[in-house]
Amino acid sequence: MKWLKEVYDLFVDDPKLAILSLVALLIALIVAHAGAKEAAGLAIFLVVAGSLWYSTR
């Protein structure tokens, strides 16, 4: 598992932000499968923007 953390740290400086962005993708995937693709894009935007705001606050 140590190698996974090293690779993860190469790409992400803020682990909470990375997890929140993965949550955004999961929400968007669920919404897109429900048939609302524009709402899925909006969900990604809102969750990522909110995550960035929370992370810099």
Side-chain angles (χ1 to χ4, degrees), residues 33-52:
H33 277 294
K37 292 181 181 176
E38 290 179 0
L42 182 62
I44 289 175
F45 174 76
L46 291 176
V47 173
V48 169
S51 300
L52 287 170

Side-chain angles (χ1 to χ4, degrees), residues 1-4 6 8-10 13 16 20-25 27 32 34-35 41-43 50-51 53-54 56-57:
M1 281 312 235
K2 184 178 178 181
W3 65 270
L4 183 60
E6 289 177 10
Y8 182 78
D9 288 340
L10 286 174
D13 291 332
K16 285 190 277 185
L20 290 172
S21 65
L22 291 175
V23 169
L25 289 175
I27 291 170
L42 182 62
S51 300
W53 174 80
Y54 179 77
T56 57
R57 182 175 65 89

